[in-house]
Amino acid sequence: MTGQVRTVDGRVAGRRGQATRQKLLDCLSEMLSSSPYRDVKVIDVARKAGTSPATFYQYFPDVEGAVLEIAESMAKEGASLTELAAGRSWVGKAGWQTAQDLVEGFLTFWRKNDAILRVVDLGAAEGDKRFYKIRMKILNSVNNSLADAIKDLQSKGKVDKDVNANAVAGSLVAMLASVAGHQKGFQSWGVKQAELKPSLALLVHLGVTQKKPVK
Amino acid sequence: MTGQVRTVDGRVAGRRGQATRQKLLDCLSEMLSSSPYRDVKVIDVARKAGTSPATFYQYFPDVEGAVLEIAESMAKEGASLTELAAGRSWVGKAGWQTAQDLVEGFLTFWRKNDAILRVVDLGAAEGDKRFYKIRMKILNSVNNSLADAIKDLQSKGKVDKDVNANAVAGSLVAMLASVAGHQKGFQSWGVKQAELKPSLALLVHLGVTQKKPVK
DNA sequence: AACTTGTCCTGTCATGCCGTCAGCTTACCG
DNA sequence: CGGTAAGCTGACGGCATGACAGGACAAGTT
């Protein structure tokens, strides 16, 4: 179902074209890591890719369009985040391990894609539905798993019925995403990387189970 | 200590000049709410303010410079957020009230300044120390108060000693900021505004006290 | 009222990026 | 080898940027 890759004017991209296209995406991705989103210019991306601006516009309507492309492929990769929370136990020592693994996996993923995720975050916050949808796609996998875990605990009477599973799960995921995006920021609060993870895991565990973890 | 307002070329701004300057800031602020940061152009701001681009450049080095100005004044206003958490009780019903008030105040402040806060967030995430500093200034007030509360509970033996107060407080504040910035986003998860606040309050309470709130 | 002084604003200009098109080159295929 | 479609770029009008010099203006002075 992955329709053929097409240029802006409707031609089908061949082997060479796809390579160029990919190169442009790679270079854009790199630029996003090294300079502010606002200052990323088409001409710079093209130069870096050893081609001309006109070529860029053959494959993408504008910078935003290309960014969406990158984000989309990242979102696919991010689907694997589901495994971090789906079908795991939240009881006893296993529960603490689940929380830790979730935090670890989440932070790793976020750090690996931080440049593009920043832009996605901004686009979503600005109300752009396309970015918004991508952000959802990534967070949804984790969010749904967490919400399911909470609902499960509720049905067993271990968590209060009046807790809104979706809202709590969503807030926890937002916390993970935000902290991941400002990891450097915590250093100025005198909080080191290594201390951050257990704290996040603690909060996740508390949020899901309403109990202190058994370590 | 608030040195005189100066133009880029060093002149002191008089009454009229300050008015123009302020008008430019207001218009920029408005533009940030209605269009993506990346697309805000000096010429549009100037037109909206009924003046010329050249005038803009007399008061600000560039768009970013003006944004910093706006952010700075917002940060001052944000200092009042301290009151939301400082010197409050975290025990019993009062504790639940504290958590609720904190969430309410935080979300209100964020919503009122969402446009500029988005940009500050982006700047900070991109590693710009100036934005970073402003973000800190706003969050610090809340963060320190929460951290103090946790430390206080620790000294009374109500919270485990191995909890890193700063890290937990920072994570909670990051959660609040993130959720506030993506309030609309939660609607797609089928979570309504009204349900969000109690969930956040619950998480804050759990994080600070490690106990379920007494309602 | 004319003059002076310092603030304030804008017209204008060189520069550089944007986004598009026509047209050239390259690859593939019968 | 000729046809066809893909791939790329030079060039161009349009617009934003950022700098400057000089004109407009307000307020005080003589």
Side-chain angles (χ1 to χ4, degrees):
Chain A
M1 258 303 163
T2 55
Q4 289 166 313
V5 180
R6 286 183 176 276
T7 58
V8 166
D9 54 338
R11 285 203 305 267
V12 215
R15 207 172 306 130
R16 187 152 73 114
Q18 291 199 23
T20 307
R21 201 183 124 99
Q22 192 54 50
K23 187 159 196 177
L24 283 168
L25 287 177
D26 292 344
C27 290
L28 170 56
S29 202
E30 213 172 311
M31 299 231 71
L32 284 175
S33 312
S34 59
S35 55
Y37 179 46
R38 199 167 197 282
D39 297 342
V40 171
K41 309 287 178 198
V42 170
I43 200 170
D44 295 324
V45 178
R47 254 200 288 265
K48 200 179 180 77
T51 177
S52 80
T55 302
F56 182 95
Y57 286 105
Q58 225 169 29
Y59 295 105
F60 311 103
D62 50 26
V63 173
E64 207 186 59
V67 167
L68 276 167
E69 195 81 12
I70 299 176
E72 206 85 58
S73 74
M74 180 198 60
K76 271 178 198 157
E77 194 191 333
S80 63
L81 286 172
T82 317
E83 301 162 16
L84 292 171
R88 297 287 196 106
S89 162
W90 286 94
V91 192
K93 283 192 179 179
W96 177 234
Q97 190 60 46
T98 301
Q100 283 178 303
D101 291 349
L102 177 64
V103 169
E104 179 68 39
F106 205 97
L107 290 191
T108 303
F109 176 78
W110 217 265
R111 180 124 52 128
K112 191 163 68 180
N113 304 96
D114 70 334
I116 191 73
L117 281 163
R118 274 200 300 267
V119 181
V120 171
D121 241 41
L122 174 69
E126 277 175 344
D128 188 310
K129 283 181 188 167
R130 298 166 302 172
F131 282 112
Y132 182 65
K133 227 174 149 182
I134 291 177
R135 190 171 187 270
M136 287 273 296
K137 196 170 175 179
I138 298 171
L139 299 186
N140 244 340
S141 48
V142 180
N143 187 60
N144 289 338
S145 308
L146 279 183
D148 286 347
I150 297 176
K151 285 172 192 162
D152 186 50
L153 291 171
Q154 279 178 320
S155 73
K156 290 178 184 165
K158 296 192 175 182
V159 167
D160 297 345
K161 297 285 183 196
D162 65 345
V163 167
N164 184 320
N166 280 319
V168 169
S171 301
L172 287 173
V173 171
M175 173 183 74
L176 289 174
S178 177
V179 172
H182 292 97
Q183 286 181 67
K184 286 176 194 160
F186 277 84
Q187 290 165 10
S188 318
W189 268 333
V191 177
K192 286 174 191 163
Q193 274 293 321
E195 300 166 327
L196 200 50
K197 289 177 189 171
S199 300
L200 286 172
L202 169 65
L203 286 169
V204 169
H205 192 278
L206 276 169
V208 173
T209 67
Q210 302 199 317
K211 281 183 188 170
K212 282 194 281 187
V214 181
K215 300 181 186 177
Chain B
M1 261 300 164
T2 55
Q4 287 168 314
V5 180
R6 285 182 176 277
T7 57
V8 165
D9 53 338
R11 282 204 308 271
V12 218
R15 207 173 308 129
R16 191 153 69 111
Q18 291 199 23
T20 308
R21 199 183 124 101
Q22 192 55 49
K23 188 160 196 176
L24 284 168
L25 286 178
D26 291 344
C27 290
L28 171 57
S29 200
E30 214 173 310
M31 299 232 71
L32 284 175
S33 312
S34 59
S35 53
Y37 178 47
R38 197 166 200 282
D39 298 341
V40 170
K41 307 290 176 195
V42 169
I43 198 169
D44 296 323
V45 178
R47 253 200 289 266
K48 199 179 182 79
T51 179
S52 78
T55 302
F56 182 95
Y57 286 107
Q58 209 157 48
Y59 294 106
F60 312 102
D62 50 26
V63 173
E64 206 186 61
V67 167
L68 276 167
E69 195 81 12
I70 299 176
E72 206 85 60
S73 75
M74 181 198 60
K76 272 178 199 156
E77 194 191 333
S80 63
L81 285 173
T82 316
E83 300 162 17
L84 292 172
R88 297 286 196 106
S89 162
W90 286 95
V91 192
K93 283 193 178 179
W96 177 234
Q97 191 60 45
T98 301
Q100 282 179 304
D101 291 349
L102 178 64
V103 169
E104 180 68 38
F106 204 96
L107 291 191
T108 302
F109 175 79
W110 218 264
R111 181 125 50 129
K112 192 163 69 178
N113 304 96
D114 69 335
I116 191 73
L117 281 163
R118 274 200 300 268
V119 182
V120 172
D121 241 41
L122 174 70
E126 277 175 343
D128 187 309
K129 283 182 187 168
R130 297 166 304 171
F131 283 111
Y132 182 64
K133 225 174 151 185
I134 291 177
R135 189 172 188 270
M136 288 273 298
K137 196 170 174 180
I138 298 170
L139 299 186
N140 244 341
S141 47
V142 179
N143 187 61
N144 289 338
S145 308
L146 279 182
D148 286 347
I150 297 175
K151 286 172 192 162
D152 185 50
L153 290 171
Q154 280 179 319
S155 72
K156 290 177 184 165
K158 296 191 174 184
V159 166
D160 297 344
K161 298 284 184 196
D162 64 345
V163 167
N164 182 320
N166 279 320
V168 169
S171 302
L172 288 173
V173 170
M175 173 182 74
L176 289 174
S178 177
V179 172
H182 291 99
Q183 284 180 69
K184 287 175 193 162
F186 278 85
Q187 290 165 9
S188 319
W189 270 331
V191 177
K192 287 173 190 164
Q193 274 293 321
E195 301 166 327
L196 200 50
K197 289 177 189 170
S199 300
L200 285 172
L202 169 64
L203 287 170
V204 169
H205 192 279
L206 277 169
V208 173
T209 68
Q210 301 198 318
K211 282 182 187 171
K212 283 193 281 185
V214 181
K215 300 182 185 177

